Amino acid sequence: MKPEPCLDAGQLLTAQEASAMLGIKPATLYTYVSRGLLHPLRQADRKVNRYLLEELQSLKVRSSVRQGSGPVAAAAMRWGQPVIETSITEIEADGPRYRGFLATELVRHPARFENTAELLWNGLQTDSPQTWPVETMKVDVARALEAVLQQGCNRLRMMRVFSIVATVLGGGTLEQELRMGSTERLSRQMLFAFAGACGLLSKIGVYQPPQVEQSLALHVMEAMGVTKTLALEHAINTALILSADHELSSSTFSARIAASTGATLHACVVAALATHQGAALAGGADSAEDLIESLHSDADLRRRLAEAELKGQRLPGFGLPIYPNGDPRAALMIKLAQQTAPGYAKADLALRFVEGVNKRLGLHPNIEMGLVVLCNAWRLPPRSACALWGIGRTAGWIAHTMEQRLAGFTIRPRGLYQVNR
């Protein structure tokens, strides 16, 4: 048996390479496509399909589990790739539904992140826009972030910043948290602190604790040091709502694993943040932002597209297999950016690049590119896209932490041992 080649995680494979990797005939590969198990990507000017390496790897793992003793152990040990029952979010072709409500519709009404967070946490949807009371924090978050500030804003990793904030806030035990019935209050406090930490992205680069009762979006704008307008408030609420949850993503699964072991709320969020900072999630948003920032002219745009097509690369922020026809969350944010961007050359260039990738490479933008383009159009500080994604997704992590606690079991997959030959 020939060893598998070392491949870049973002690489696109030909049908021949994909068949070899799965150990199947080309005809079987096409059967997988017809059954919806694989979602090939058509490249412009080429009558051939390409296959995402990540999707192929996932299919290979599932096939291995089915052939082993996974089904026997599933009932007792939740073997292999866990399937966990959840009432929080369902993913459909038109995007995620939070407890039955389509996320893209929640952006229109009630159009407030706080309402979406409470919907995820307790299943209640209210029509009137909600705000949360601001409480004085008992810990000095600004002091805890001093070491981060010394690194300089150009090196900030916002998931690390949020992890520090959550760790500092989470001084109690799970027993104390549950006995006080304070999970939602602690959740609001954590989100306020994350909003204040966006001050590190501002020109003055300092933590800005929320002072008065107003929407979380306004707290974020205040911390970033940008002019507060109704239109920008709507844009940030849009980003936060669409980022709030996406079923059992890797970071959400990490939060649920921590919750299943009896970890505190803050520890569960820290576990999720540690996973979310990876290159396939928030790290990918930073990479997508760096890609857009590297474009200074139409010549740069054409060169980058030609390079990606020649090398068969998957560009950061594009090609999410779960949405073969495009990520509805990204589409909505990009549409909003189009309404904002005219006259701003950098934003217009970003929009043309997204359009060029779709036409030439057949790739649709993901949520991370949608966030980057939206933040770019509003001239928000660098790394704002990653920060908004982290704040929004925290609401989902909290909801899954609550649900996992009620489930009452420890998540412990089994390994499928194989001898290397």
Side-chain angles (χ1 to χ4, degrees), residues 251-307:
S251 54
T252 301
F253 188 44
S254 295
R256 293 194 73 126
I257 292 174
S260 78
T261 66
T264 64
L265 175 70
H266 297 85
C268 293
V269 172
V270 170
L273 286 164
T275 305
H276 197 63
Q277 70 178 341
L281 293 170
D286 287 345
S287 297
E289 181 178 303
D290 292 340
L291 172 60
I292 294 300
E293 284 300 311
S294 71
L295 304 175
H296 302 287
S297 65
D298 286 324
D300 287 342
L301 187 155
R302 291 190 294 271
R303 175 187 56 77
R304 191 66 184 88
L305 289 177
E307 181 181 284

Side-chain angles (χ1 to χ4, degrees), residues 40-54:
L41 301 172
R42 175 64 62 87
Q43 290 189 296
D45 303 326
R46 296 185 182 182
K47 295 182 179 180
V48 294
N49 289 331
R50 297 277 182 168
Y51 298 82
L52 283 170
L53 176 60
E54 294 96 328

Side-chain angles (χ1 to χ4, degrees), residues 377-388:
W378 278 101
R379 309 188 196 195
L380 296 182
R383 299 315 188 216
S384 293
C386 182
L388 293 178

Side-chain angles (χ1 to χ4, degrees), residues 44-109:
D45 303 326
R46 296 185 182 182
K47 295 182 179 180
V48 294
N49 289 331
R50 297 277 182 168
Y51 298 82
L52 283 170
L53 176 60
E54 294 96 328
E55 192 174 29
L56 292 167
Q57 290 172 331
S58 178
L59 181 60
K60 187 175 182 179
V61 169
R62 293 201 299 273
S63 298
S64 298
V65 170
R66 284 195 297 271
Q67 294 168 8
S69 55
V72 177
M77 302 300 296
R78 287 174 169 76
W79 173 280
Q81 292 187 319
V83 176
I84 296 176
E85 293 182 1
T86 178
S87 300
I88 299 174
T89 298
E90 178 183 16
I91 299 177
E92 297 182 344
D94 50 359
R97 288 182 178 272
Y98 305 151
R99 299 195 184 275
F101 293 88
L102 189 62
T104 51
E105 289 298 328
L106 292 173
V107 166
R108 298 178 176 89
H109 179 79

